[in-house]
Amino acid sequence: MQKQNPTVDQLINLARKNEEIASKLFEIEVEIMNVLNGTDFFEKLLKTVQESFNIDNVWLCLTEKTIKTQLAALFKAPDMPLHRAYICNTVDFLRVTKSCREPILVNSNLSFYKALVPAVIWPEVRSLAVLPLIVDGQLIGSLNFASEDDCRYEPSKDHFFLRQLAVKASICLSSVIAHERVSFLATRDSLTLLKNRREMEESLEKEISRCRRHNYDIAVLFIDCDDFKLVNDTYGHDCGDAYLKYVADNLTDMIRKGDTAFRFAGDEFVIILPNLARPGAEKIAQRIREHLQNTPLRNQDYSIPVHISFGAASSNELRELNSKNLLKEADARLYDMKELKPSKKMLEYLREKTQQPSSQDPVPGKH
């Protein structure tokens, strides 16, 4: 049977429908193109798309590799409910999508795509659209739509507008990542990726103001790497850089959730510890120190010991509380500790003294 050509009215209705979709896509682009914060961008994208097209479920699927590379240290994985941002195993994602850079529409054999769908949504899925997100030429994840209607994302449907949406979202996401990267590096030490000294000064002022307002203590740790110069001179600058990164990573891993570590300068680090007095800060510092002593840096074929000194100070100890005095007090205690640490020559001298008592040593029992 010969297929009938569409009537004029049908063509007009189709044109109006396409115009309406194009208008909505333009509105979405306007909404998201000026959002440069990562988490805000994701939330705005998902919310706007869902409301504009009345979609049952909308979520992001980002690969683990993306989180570790493209998005690493720029912003946290989107701070949204798990059914809105889903982290997928990279291998599973590429296997299921076949690394396809075009929208995928499917309403059969859905179990093959289960790896892309959060468990909370899965029971409701009858048809699925997977829109690729491409940044810097790499497939980093997808924008996904699911419906309880098995006909909504039927594979034979035209992909044109879905392709447009995928491209718009990818371009805007690329801008977000570029902006976040610049903003991030402006506040970070480029080697360790810890916040830099300027950020430390601003953060400390804010925390001191907060501790005054809410009447709680704040402590500061000043940390210095004892053997950094020796490591740098002996093993080279690349090893020295690895040494500083190793210390920075361990500081980040071993402090509390609300604490912040900063690279102050050279081989010196500062940690701000809200709601803590000096004894508590010293316990944390001692735990870090012991951990570093017991877990040397592995660099190429070398096992390099890591030793630190620290000084702690807290707000309840100071007559005049300000950031300068708090840092000065912690710094003074740091150098007190360094002065108390005997050098290798002193250790050898003390060892010889214990083996060969001096004739001038007092005789026990005599005064």
Side-chain angles (χ1 to χ4, degrees), residues 165-182:
L165 179 57
V167 170
K168 291 176 187 296
S170 295
I171 291 172
C172 291
L173 179 56
S174 297
S175 297
V176 169
I177 290 176
H179 178 269
E180 289 277 6
R181 183 177 288 120
V182 171

Side-chain angles (χ1 to χ4, degrees), residues 34-85:
N34 293 319
V35 181
L36 296 176
N37 173 273
T39 302
D40 291 347
F41 170 81
F42 285 130
E43 184 61 46
K44 176 68 76 173
L45 172 64
L46 297 179
K47 183 178 179 182
T48 307
V49 168
Q50 186 168 30
E51 292 177 353
S52 297
F53 295 105
N54 192 29
I55 300 172
D56 295 337
N57 290 294
V58 182
W59 74 97
L60 287 165
C61 187
L62 300 173
T63 65
E64 290 175 345
K65 182 180 178 182
T66 299
I67 298 298
K68 293 177 181 177
T69 55
Q70 288 281 6
L71 308 185
L74 300 182
F75 43 83
K76 296 178 182 178
D79 186 18
M80 293 177 283
L82 289 177
H83 65 282
R84 301 297 297 275

Side-chain angles (χ1 to χ4, degrees), residues 15 92 321:
D92 287 342
L321 175 58

Side-chain angles (χ1 to χ4, degrees), residues 283-299:
K283 285 182 180 179
I284 291 174
Q286 186 60 35
R287 188 162 63 244
I288 294 170
R289 183 184 176 195
E290 290 173 357
H291 173 76
L292 289 171
Q293 286 176 342
N294 295 329
T295 53
L297 167 66
R298 304 288 178 179
N299 187 266

Side-chain angles (χ1 to χ4, degrees), residues 343-355:
S343 67
K344 291 181 180 179
K345 289 183 179 179
M346 180 60 73
L347 286 171
E348 292 173 0
Y349 170 76
L350 291 172
R351 193 177 297 114
E352 291 173 0
K353 287 284 289 180
T354 57
Q355 292 173 353

Side-chain angles (χ1 to χ4, degrees), residues 26-311:
F26 177 74
E27 290 172 2
I28 291 171
E29 185 176 12
V30 170
E31 285 286 333
I32 65 175
M33 69 185 299
N34 293 319
V35 181
L36 296 176
N37 173 273
T39 302
D40 291 347
F41 170 81
F42 285 130
E43 184 61 46
K44 176 68 76 173
L45 172 64
L46 297 179
K47 183 178 179 182
T48 307
V49 168
Q50 186 168 30
E51 292 177 353
S52 297
F53 295 105
N54 192 29
I55 300 172
D56 295 337
N57 290 294
V58 182
W59 74 97
L60 287 165
C61 187
L62 300 173
T63 65
E64 290 175 345
K65 182 180 178 182
T66 299
I67 298 298
K68 293 177 181 177
T69 55
Q70 288 281 6
L71 308 185
L74 300 182
F75 43 83
K76 296 178 182 178
D79 186 18
M80 293 177 283
L82 289 177
H83 65 282
R84 301 297 297 275
Y86 185 58
I87 311 305
C88 181
N89 178 273
T90 305
V91 174
D92 287 342
F93 180 84
L94 297 177
R95 174 182 56 81
V96 170
T97 63
K98 297 181 173 63
S99 301
C100 183
R101 295 178 174 234
E102 294 290 329
I104 299 170
L105 274 64
V106 60
N107 64 354
S108 63
N109 193 24
L110 289 171
S111 59
F112 183 73
Y113 296 88
K114 190 173 182 179
L116 306 185
V117 183
V120 68
I121 293 174
W122 178 248
E124 305 170 10
V125 177
R126 297 295 177 269
S127 63
L128 178 69
V130 180
L131 281 59
L133 294 174
I134 300 171
V135 174
D136 295 336
Q138 296 182 355
L139 182 61
I140 69 164
S142 58
L143 174 62
N144 309 285
F145 309 148
S147 176
E148 296 180 14
D149 179 359
D150 59 1
C151 294
R152 180 155 191 181
Y153 304 115
E154 203 274 326
S156 64
K157 289 189 175 181
D158 186 22
H159 295 182
F160 177 75
F161 288 114
L162 291 175
R163 189 183 300 115
Q164 278 199 331
L165 179 57
V167 170
K168 291 176 187 296
S170 295
I171 291 172
C172 291
L173 179 56
S174 297
S175 297
V176 169
I177 290 176
H179 178 269
E180 289 277 6
R181 183 177 288 120
V182 171
S183 300
F184 176 82
L185 292 177
T187 62
R188 301 281 170 156
D189 167 60
S190 59
L191 175 64
T192 63
L193 296 184
L194 294 181
K195 291 185 177 181
N196 58 28
R197 181 171 177 171
R198 184 177 65 181
E199 280 293 294
M200 183 274 296
E201 291 169 349
E202 292 181 3
S203 296
L204 187 54
E205 290 289 349
K206 290 177 183 177
E207 283 299 337
I208 288 175
S209 175
R210 196 174 291 121
C211 90
R212 285 197 183 107
R213 197 162 57 247
H214 299 290
N215 194 30
Y216 63 74
D217 294 327
I218 178 175
V220 163
L221 281 172
F222 227 125
I223 293 173
D224 179 86
C225 301
D226 296 339
D227 303 320
F228 174 68
K229 187 177 184 305
L230 179 63
V231 170
N232 218 30
D233 292 345
T234 304
Y235 300 103
H237 294 295
D238 288 345
C239 184
D241 288 349
Y243 185 97
L244 292 175
K245 289 180 184 177
Y246 184 71
V247 172
D249 290 344
N250 277 277
L251 294 183
T252 302
D253 290 342
M254 298 193 68
I255 57 179
R256 303 172 306 164
K257 186 176 180 180
D259 302 337
T260 311
F262 305 82
R263 187 179 180 191
F264 187 76
D267 61 345
E268 293 181 323
F269 301 87
V270 167
I271 301 175
I272 298 176
L273 306 102
N275 202 26
L276 200 65
R278 180 159 68 101
E282 288 176 336
K283 285 182 180 179
I284 291 174
Q286 186 60 35
R287 188 162 63 244
I288 294 170
R289 183 184 176 195
E290 290 173 357
H291 173 76
L292 289 171
Q293 286 176 342
N294 295 329
T295 53
L297 167 66
R298 304 288 178 179
N299 187 266
Q300 296 181 357
D301 296 329
Y302 302 107
S303 178
I304 302 170
V306 180
H307 300 285
I308 63 169
S309 297
F310 64 85

